Amino acid sequence: MKKSLIIVSFVYIILCNASIYAQQSKTATENSYTRARQVLERGIEALGGLKNFRAVDDIAFKSTAEFPEKGQSLNAAGSPYIRPVDGEGVIDLHGKRSYRLGQTVFTGGARYSISTVVTEKTGFVADVTSNAVYPLAAPAVGGNNRVVQRLFPITLLQTALSRAATLRWLGEENYAGRKQQVITFADSDGSQLTLFFDTQSDLLTKTEVLGDRFLEGLSTAENIYSNYRDVGRVKMPFHVITKIGGEIATDLTYAEIRFNTHPNEALFEAPKDAEVGPEAGGALKPITLTKLAKDVYYINAISTNGIFFYSSMFVAFKDYVMVFDSPLSTDVSDAVIAKIKETVPNKPIKYLVPTHHHIDHMGGIRGYIAEGSTIVTTPSNQRFIEKVISVPHPLNPDTLSLHPLPLSVETFKDKRVFSDGEHLVELYNLGPNPHADEIVMAYLPQVKIVYVSDLFPVNFKGRNGPTSQVFVDFYEKLIRMNLQIETIASGHGRLGTMEELRQSVIAAKKQAQVNK
């Protein structure tokens, strides 16, 4: 009997020790994953649970939003332009496709309707206003699908669950006076999303994504969810604020969210009779040029993920090169600079002339500063440029980050002329204009060419874009200046003519009368 008790006791001790050992043998990674998964599963249940999620075939919505567009103000030192957007769309979860439409008014009054349709592997973006369609490259399709997956918590949390192996517990934080459970997961593109769940309600409060951005440098993009309401058996947030670097980038309110609307097939079809433009998005394509005159080159349209394509121009003087605009990013500038050196070797790029301070046309300025170029601009832009180049970029260091050079800036107020006896370029400040208080036009009188950005309403295809007072102001100033112009090289997309501009102004004036 005593021997049996000893054996039982021995076995019990072994089992207890085995249990303790099993608990202790879990790694930090395993413990972090387990806790994160528990938080995620509670968050899913708080929204309605997987069973109710899976009963949703499609999500239809209507929204209104305000976008404070940093780097798009009238003046470089001014407040951002608040761009309104009326949106609507359908996420067809069953069909694995989506449709989104945004109607907006850009700086200066140009009205656009832009739709985006993506499936698993294909997609297009449509300039509804001008009836032009641009197929999306594969990387742009993937990017748009990730945007759609992150649009609502119901889809975002299912994405996180599908990436369960990457789930990790980060700890507890206080946000807006309430305790949060914080976890993270890695999405399919490698981006790390941090999720905050309210400890009391288990509802998703916000998400964070770390990035390295042109204006902010190392900064966090936050999506903040509030005003949860029941839609069927699922809770949906009707208010979403996006912040970048702590500043509001989007303030969006859903007017309506509905489930299982069974959308019409026509929503996912390209507009009828639309002109089809080049592919949008994807990797930067090789830079191509159009020779406009001796030593004058137009840098043909460079693609983005949307309907806007960017161009610039350069002039090869006897001993140096002058470039107009540095659109989009340093990567674009590096490619353009390489093309310039290939085309006109052994000449330094001495000057870069940004037409205005808006970041889509100045986003690649760091590449030219790293090249040793002097920036020629109007007075109010100098401090803005100084601020831009002082921003560190630790995640994506460019040439200027790795090999800093001092900034060289020359300013002019109204007009400046460059000539070497053979080439002549006249720079005019056409501001104030409804698009920007200071905006530069480059005029080449010998060949009757001007280069401008955002003042001439051409898109990539033949049809002109929306009209506004911006173009009227530009046209009337050209008439008063009595310049001899045949070609207008636009910073958006393509070459145009004075007659095209005149017709756009006529349309703009007619539209203004209709709007009265």
Side-chain angles (χ1 to χ4, degrees):
M1 180 69 178
K2 188 180 291 186
K3 186 177 180 180
S4 297
L5 287 172
I6 291 171
I7 293 172
V8 170
S9 299
F10 182 69
V11 171
Y12 176 75
I13 290 169
I14 290 173
L15 290 173
C16 287
N17 286 339
S19 177
I20 292 169
Y21 177 78
Q23 292 175 15
Q24 291 176 341
S25 68
K26 279 194 172 183
T27 64
T29 299
E30 289 172 320
N31 287 327
S32 178
Y33 157 76
T34 300
R35 196 162 183 183
R37 179 143 190 169
Q38 290 169 350
V39 171
L40 176 62
E41 289 176 349
R42 288 198 301 269
I44 289 172
E45 286 303 313
L47 286 177
L50 282 176
K51 180 181 178 181
N52 290 322
F53 287 8
R54 289 165 180 164
V56 178
D57 287 334
D58 63 75
I59 306 170
F61 60 87
K62 292 182 179 179
S63 63
T64 57
E66 290 184 343
F67 288 73
E69 291 199 305
K70 194 173 180 181
Q72 295 286 337
S73 55
L74 280 174
N75 186 282
S79 300
Y81 169 65
I82 308 297
R83 182 164 62 87
V85 178
D86 291 327
E88 63 180 66
V90 176
I91 304 172
D92 183 0
L93 301 171
H94 181 74
K96 296 182 179 181
R97 57 187 180 172
S98 65
Y99 158 82
R100 290 169 291 149
L101 172 69
Q103 297 176 305
T104 190
V105 182
F106 284 96
T107 313
R111 296 179 179 274
Y112 277 87
S113 291
I114 303 168
S115 67
T116 305
V117 171
V118 288
T119 66
E120 280 190 285
K121 296 182 180 179
T122 64
F124 63 86
V125 59
D127 177 353
V128 179
T129 309
S130 302
N131 202 27
V133 170
Y134 306 92
L136 288 173
V141 171
N144 273 280
N145 277 325
R146 283 187 290 273
V147 167
V148 170
Q149 288 167 0
R150 300 174 188 179
L151 204 57
F152 294 108
I154 180 177
T155 48
L156 174 60
L157 298 195
Q158 289 183 88
T159 301
L161 190 61
S162 73
R163 304 280 300 169
T166 69
L167 286 168
R168 296 294 182 270
W169 159 261
L170 294 185
E172 293 184 345
E173 296 283 343
N174 285 318
Y175 175 72
R178 296 174 69 90
K179 187 176 288 187
Q180 307 287 317
Q181 305 288 315
V182 187
I183 67 173
T184 184
F185 79 96
D187 207 344
S188 58
D189 64 342
S191 59
Q192 197 79 25
L193 277 74
T194 302
L195 311 180
F196 287 66
F197 294 86
D198 183 272
T199 301
Q200 293 183 22
S201 67
D202 289 326
L203 291 173
L204 183 68
T205 303
K206 72 167 181 170
T207 65
E208 292 182 349
V209 180
L210 189 67
D212 194 342
R213 299 169 178 87
F214 176 65
L215 288 178
E216 297 85 5
L218 183 66
S219 55
T220 299
E222 305 168 80
N223 276 348
I224 302 164
Y225 304 98
S226 62
N227 192 17
Y228 277 91
R229 302 181 199 171
D230 290 329
V231 179
R233 296 182 177 181
V234 176
K235 291 188 181 296
M236 301 287 282
F238 276 68
H239 189 206
V240 182
I241 290 177
T242 300
K243 291 184 177 181
I244 297 177
E247 297 183 11
I248 293 178
T250 309
D251 190 335
L252 180 146
T253 298
Y254 289 102
E256 177 181 274
I257 300 175
R258 295 183 296 144
F259 294 158
N260 300 334
T261 62
H262 308 297
N264 192 309
E265 287 294 321
L267 279 181
F268 306 98
E269 298 172 357
K272 291 182 178 179
D273 303 321
E275 291 180 301
V276 179
E279 192 174 67
L284 180 64
K285 293 177 175 59
I287 300 298
T288 62
L289 306 176
T290 297
K291 189 172 183 179
L292 302 182
K294 182 177 181 296
D295 297 325
V296 181
Y297 297 87
Y298 185 62
I299 298 164
N300 297 323
I302 299 164
S303 167
T304 65
N305 285 333
I307 68 171
F308 297 109
F309 290 72
Y310 288 80
S311 300
S312 52
M313 192 176 83
F314 68 90
V315 176
F317 285 75
K318 287 181 181 178
D319 300 317
Y320 63 86
V321 174
M322 173 180 284
V323 183
F324 307 99
D325 271 354
S326 54
L328 298 170
S329 68
T330 299
D331 290 345
V332 170
S333 289
D334 290 345
V336 170
I337 288 169
K339 189 66 175 181
I340 292 172
K341 290 181 176 181
E342 174 192 317
T343 307
V344 282
N346 304 318
K347 289 186 181 182
I349 302 174
K350 187 175 182 180
Y351 297 110
L352 171 71
V353 185
T355 53
H356 58 305
H357 70 279
H358 291 174
I359 60 171
D360 52 334
H361 295 281
M362 200 186 278
I365 194 171
R366 292 173 58 90
Y368 288 93
I369 295 169
E371 189 67 22
S373 306
T374 293
I375 312 302
V376 180
T377 187
T378 48
S380 74
N381 294 338
Q382 181 166 350
R383 291 190 65 183
F384 179 76
I385 295 169
E386 290 170 348
K387 182 179 178 181
V388 163
I389 70 161
S390 69
V391 174
H393 295 277
L395 295 186
N396 299 300
D398 54 18
T399 304
L400 188 61
S401 299
L402 299 173
H403 305 285
L405 285 180
L407 174 65
S408 174
V409 177
E410 297 178 7
T411 63
F412 70 96
K413 186 178 179 181
D414 297 312
K415 180 181 177 181
R416 182 165 176 186
V417 177
F418 290 83
S419 177
D420 61 3
E422 182 178 340
H423 308 85
L424 179 63
V425 173
E426 298 175 1
L427 302 180
Y428 293 92
N429 178 8
L430 298 184
N433 177 280
H435 189 71
D437 286 345
E438 295 176 359
I439 192 161
V440 173
M441 175 184 73
Y443 176 49
L444 284 59
Q446 295 160 308
V447 289
K448 299 180 181 179
I449 295 171
V450 296
Y451 176 84
V452 293
S453 287
D454 295 339
L455 299 182
F456 182 42
V458 296
N459 56 17
F460 190 84
K461 298 301 289 182
R463 297 172 183 168
N464 287 352
T467 58
S468 77
Q469 189 58 35
V470 169
F471 317 130
V472 176
D473 180 89
F474 172 50
Y475 178 75
E476 290 177 346
K477 283 175 179 172
L478 289 184
I479 296 302
R480 289 197 297 270
M481 294 167 75
N482 196 30
L483 304 178
Q484 299 299 306
I485 300 169
E486 292 180 356
T487 302
I488 301 176
S490 173
H492 278 294
R494 67 173 177 88
L495 303 167
T497 66
M498 278 294 288
E499 178 58 22
E500 281 186 289
L501 177 60
R502 189 180 75 85
Q503 292 298 328
S504 294
V505 168
I506 292 171
K509 290 182 176 181
K510 286 181 179 178
Q511 187 61 49
Q513 290 296 322
V514 171
N515 294 338
K516 281 185 178 180

